[in-house]
């Protein structure tokens, strides 16, 4: 099978989903109103609530949700063959991710930009809110702690990426001033930002910065990077969104599209074949069942609960017009689907032989970012003639920058969670940004170094449960949207069907993992799995009760 055929089929189907399906959902189901006064205008404060150009906001939303996960998940899942991963990414993007992401923005905007966790208490009930807040906290803890490890390891492995990764922060600070103070027009700023970013990528291999393996007694280079990353993320989380978060995400969004165009162009020129099998019937020993694990291994890139946190946590506070939701939410999902598609093609067509591919995928969990970078660099080098080290740096920087923007937003969201807890439990000191930020960073560092020791990789310990916890979160978000649609007397099946599918797959996956953790005698993950499983069952019960209650209410009013 030619990779070019899959590329055009995948992109064509996603385009059809955006131009046809999303238009129907926006106009007939959500009924987006251009005259509705959004929270960005109602509560404008210049820090969190800032009316934003839809293209800039799309950049923030897209790059915040498109971290390393849409690369890691698909590039691991191809161990079952490229066909299942391809089908779930394309169909999941079209019918699951778009309506989930746009729906979360819509639900939040219609409720004074409340986070989806807080909103659950108003729409579904206090018990559901309590469950939701626990799941949200776990997901953010995993994302922040693990992405710090991912970025640190990338910089340790590819020192040529250090200059562009950190240099992008300074580029973003300058761009933020140029945009916010209207010194230059957006197109001019965009061109200058992209040129500066790619200049750093080409400079990177000439000035590699290698962190020593041990920077101090008992402190590894990896741990030092993790501490620096959290220090940066803490500062970024309290700065006004226009100063760093928006411009960094926007320029990274442009960078990703250019990077994808380079990779897609190399695929078209080289026309590589899919080295990996369509369906892998000879998976390595210990590989779990395709169903249901495929649907939790590939979360971001198909549908992800983390997107709902971003949509209702930061994006809804910056929406200029309600009709921008379709472009920001649906097209943001399409962009992430495009990244996941690129990861699948790089991880299956970017190898010289089947033996090379099998060596990379010798066990479940192998591949990931490494397969994406090495496979993509192979395609770009042979297709466009770019030096392999430059191509590898480009893709490494792409992965690291997206993980970094997700960390920026993730820590800000975790700060919001602590502030919301301060509201719920009447703790005035916790409502303030600085104490909430310190609590957010402290909890991440406690997991990173308390569970992972001096290496700081503690987040990886609970990462095996990220997929299931994340998809449970997506189900909760769809529940909130569905109940709102019922209350407004609008068709609910477009969100209820994905909700039911996700809950079935999540519960089944949790049961499968229980057996795995028991056989491994991993009692910590076994206990945590039981907690998440109980939460999933309670969510299903709350779902049924809330829908029944609201349908009865609507029937009584009619």
């Amino acid at each position: 099978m030619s990779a070019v055929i899959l590329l055009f089929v995948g992109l064509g189907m996603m385009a059809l989903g955006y131009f046809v399906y999303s238009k129907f959902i926006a106009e007939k189901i959500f009924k987006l109103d251009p005259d509705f006064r959004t929270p960005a205008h109602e509560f404008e404060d210049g820090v969190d609530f800032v009316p934003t150009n839809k293209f800039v906001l799309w950049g923030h939303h897209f790059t915040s949700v498109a971290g390393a996960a849409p690369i890691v998940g698909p590039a691991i899942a191809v161990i079952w063959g490229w066909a299942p991963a391809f089908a779930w990414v394309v169909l999941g993007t079209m019918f699951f991710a778009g309506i989930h992401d746009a729906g979360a923005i819509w639900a939040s905007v219609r409720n004074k930009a409340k986070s989806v966790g807080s909103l659950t208490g108003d729409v579904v009930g206090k018990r559901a809110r309590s469950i939701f807040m626990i799941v949200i906290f776990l997901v953010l803890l995993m994302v922040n702690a693990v992405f710090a490890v991912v970025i640190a390891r990338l910089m340790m492995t590819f020192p040529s990426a250090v200059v562009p990764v950190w240099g992008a922060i300074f580029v973003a600070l300058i761009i933020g001033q140029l945009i916010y103070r209207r010194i230059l027009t957006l197109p001019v700023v965009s061109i200058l930002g992209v040129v500066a970013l790619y200049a750093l990528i080409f400079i990177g291999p000439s000035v590699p910065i290698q962190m020593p393996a041990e920077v101090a007694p008992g402190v590894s280079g990896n741990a030092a990077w993790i501490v620096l990353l959290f220090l940066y993320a803490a500062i970024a989380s309290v700065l006004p969104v226009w100063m760093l978060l928006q411009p960094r995400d926007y320029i990274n969004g442009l960078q990703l599209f250019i990077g994808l165009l380079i990779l897609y162009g190399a695929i078209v020129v080289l026309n590589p074949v899919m080295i990996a099998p369509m369906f892998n019937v000879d998976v390595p020993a210990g590989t779990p069942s395709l169903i249901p694990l495929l649907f939790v291994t590939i979360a971001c890139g198909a549908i992800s609960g983390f997107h709902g946190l971003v949509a209702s946590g930061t994006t809804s506070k910056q929406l200029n017009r309600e009709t921008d939701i379709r472009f920001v939410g649906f097209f943001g999902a399409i962009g992430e689907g495009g990244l996941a598609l690129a990861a699948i093609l790089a991880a299956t067509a970017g190898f010289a032989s089947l033996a090379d591919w099998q060596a990379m995928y010798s066990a479940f969990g192998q591949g990931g970012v490494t397969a994406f970078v090495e496979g993509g660099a192979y395609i770009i080098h042979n297709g466009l003639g770019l030096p392999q080290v430059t191509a590898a740096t480009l893709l490494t920087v792409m992965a690291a920058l997206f993980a970094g923007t997700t960390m920026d937003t993730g820590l800000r969201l975790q700060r919001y969670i602590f502030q919301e807890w301060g509201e719920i439990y009447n703790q005035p000191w916790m409502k303030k940004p600085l104490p909430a930020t310190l609590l957010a960073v402290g909890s991440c560092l406690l997991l990173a170094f308390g569970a992972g020791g001096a290496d700081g990789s503690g987040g990886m310990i609970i990462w095996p449960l990220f997929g299931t916890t994340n998809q449970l979160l997506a189900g909760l978000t769809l529940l909130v949207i569905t109940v709102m649609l019922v209350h407004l007397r609008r068709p609910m099946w477009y969100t209820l069907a994905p909700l039911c599918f996700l809950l079935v797959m999540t519960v089944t996956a949790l049961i499968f993992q229980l057996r795995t953790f028991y056989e491994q005698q991993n009692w910590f993950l076994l206990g945590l799995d039981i907690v998440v499983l109980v939460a999933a069952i309670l969510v299903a019960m709350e779902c049924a009760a809330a829908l029944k209650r609201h349908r009865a209410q609507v029937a009584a009013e009619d």
Side-chain angles (χ1 to χ4, degrees):
M1 171 68 77
S2 167
V4 174
I5 294 175
L6 284 183
L7 173 62
F8 285 114
V9 169
L11 293 180
M13 291 180 69
M14 289 183 198
L16 189 66
Y18 178 72
F19 289 109
V20 179
Y21 187 64
S22 78
K23 187 174 187 292
F24 166 76
I25 295 296
E27 293 178 356
K28 305 299 183 183
I29 306 302
F30 294 149
K31 297 183 180 180
L32 303 181
D33 181 4
D35 297 322
F36 179 79
R37 192 181 185 208
T38 64
H41 290 282
E42 185 177 357
F43 306 112
E44 185 173 359
D45 60 6
V47 179
D48 293 320
F49 292 86
V50 180
T52 304
N53 176 286
K54 70 176 183 179
F55 296 101
V56 176
L57 184 56
W58 168 85
H60 157 70
H61 178 80
F62 166 52
T63 54
S64 293
V65 301
I71 295 173
V72 175
I76 288 175
V78 294
I79 197 168
W80 289 298
W82 58 260
F86 175 81
W88 175 229
V89 162
V90 172
L91 296 176
T93 297
M94 291 175 66
F95 299 112
F96 286 68
I99 195 167
H100 171 275
D101 294 14
I105 302 173
W106 168 73
S108 179
V109 165
R110 284 284 169 166
N111 290 274
K112 301 185 182 299
K114 288 183 179 180
S115 76
V116 72
S118 178
L119 185 57
T120 305
D122 299 334
V123 175
V124 182
K126 291 183 178 180
R127 283 181 302 182
R129 182 187 66 186
S130 300
I131 299 168
F132 211 152
M133 297 294 268
I134 293 170
V135 174
I136 288 172
F137 181 77
L138 283 174
V139 168
L140 289 174
L141 196 63
M142 292 178 192
V143 167
N144 292 333
V146 170
F147 279 15
V149 175
V150 170
I151 301 169
R153 288 180 178 175
L154 283 172
M155 289 191 291
M156 290 294 290
T157 306
F158 301 97
S160 59
V162 173
V163 167
V165 165
W166 289 99
I169 297 169
F170 297 99
V171 172
L173 286 169
I174 295 171
I175 287 175
Q177 296 294 326
L178 295 176
I179 293 175
Y180 186 74
R181 302 186 186 285
R182 295 181 174 83
I183 297 173
L184 296 173
T185 62
L186 185 60
V188 173
V189 172
S190 303
I191 293 170
L192 291 176
V194 168
V195 169
L197 202 57
Y198 274 90
L200 290 170
I201 290 173
F202 280 93
I203 291 171
S206 303
V207 284
I209 297 177
Q210 181 69 65
M211 182 75 77
E214 189 176 46
V215 296
V219 180
S220 66
N222 193 74
W225 278 131
I226 289 173
V227 171
L228 288 173
L229 285 165
F230 274 115
L231 178 62
Y232 155 73
I235 296 171
S237 72
V238 294
L239 290 176
V241 290
W242 63 265
M243 187 176 292
L244 179 58
L245 193 70
Q246 281 182 359
R248 176 170 157 83
D249 291 350
Y250 173 66
I251 203 65
N252 282 347
L254 295 179
Q255 181 262 151
L256 172 67
F257 261 96
I258 293 172
L260 284 178
L261 287 175
I262 291 172
L263 182 54
Y264 288 160
I267 290 172
V268 172
V269 172
L270 184 62
N271 191 20
V273 297
M274 305 296 287
I275 295 297
M278 185 174 182
F279 294 96
N280 190 10
V281 296
D282 190 25
V283 295
T287 301
S289 171
L290 167 66
I291 297 175
L293 268 298
L294 171 70
F295 303 102
V296 296
T297 301
I298 300 179
C300 301
I303 180 172
S304 165
F306 179 73
H307 295 196
L309 300 184
V310 176
S312 65
T314 56
T315 305
S316 63
K317 294 177 175 64
Q318 302 169 59
L319 195 78
N320 185 36
R321 301 172 68 204
E322 191 178 61
T323 47
D324 292 347
I325 288 175
R326 182 184 171 213
F327 181 79
V328 175
F330 270 98
F331 195 60
I334 297 294
E336 183 165 81
L339 176 57
L341 177 61
I344 291 171
L345 296 177
T348 53
F351 293 85
S353 67
L354 177 59
D356 290 339
W357 182 84
Q358 289 173 332
M360 174 66 73
Y361 289 89
S362 58
F364 182 72
Q366 299 298 311
V369 174
T370 303
F372 170 73
V373 171
E374 293 185 5
Y378 174 89
I379 292 172
I380 293 173
H381 172 65
N382 289 283
L384 302 180
L386 201 66
Q388 195 140 351
V389 64
T390 303
T393 299
L394 186 151
L395 296 175
T396 301
V397 169
M398 182 189 298
L401 287 181
F402 281 100
T405 54
T406 301
M407 238 187 107
D408 291 358
T409 304
L411 203 63
R412 185 179 287 261
L413 290 172
Q414 208 163 8
R415 186 248 290 178
Y416 291 162
I417 292 297
F418 278 108
Q419 288 181 292
E420 286 183 357
W421 276 340
E423 291 280 353
I424 294 169
Y425 299 111
N426 194 27
Q427 297 294 321
W429 65 274
M430 199 184 291
K431 300 177 188 178
K432 298 177 182 178
L434 183 58
T437 299
L438 292 175
L439 287 171
V441 174
S443 61
C444 292
L445 289 176
L446 183 63
L447 173 63
F449 290 95
D455 187 53
S457 58
M460 304 305 293
I461 292 174
I462 61 174
W463 185 249
L465 278 173
F466 170 75
T468 46
T469 309
N470 188 47
Q471 296 305 67
L472 174 60
L473 185 56
L476 280 162
T477 303
L478 287 169
L479 168 60
V480 171
I481 300 167
T482 302
V483 172
M484 284 185 62
L485 290 175
V486 170
H487 188 71
L488 293 169
R489 297 171 173 79
R490 297 177 191 173
M492 66 176 180
W493 297 106
Y494 301 96
T495 53
L496 184 61
L499 163 61
C500 294
F501 179 85
L502 281 179
L503 285 180
V504 169
M505 290 301 164
T506 299
V507 170
T508 308
L510 285 165
I511 294 171
F512 271 63
Q513 288 181 315
L514 275 177
R515 179 180 176 181
T516 301
F517 298 145
Y518 178 78
E519 290 175 347
Q520 295 173 347
Q521 296 187 353
N522 191 329
W523 310 121
F524 174 73
L525 284 182
L526 181 69
L528 195 57
D529 191 308
I530 292 172
V531 170
V532 178
L533 180 59
V534 170
I537 294 171
L538 290 174
V539 165
M541 294 170 63
E542 288 291 332
C543 173
L547 289 176
K548 182 179 179 180
R549 184 172 64 251
H550 278 267
R551 293 189 73 177
Q553 181 181 343
V554 169
E557 290 174 356
D558 290 339

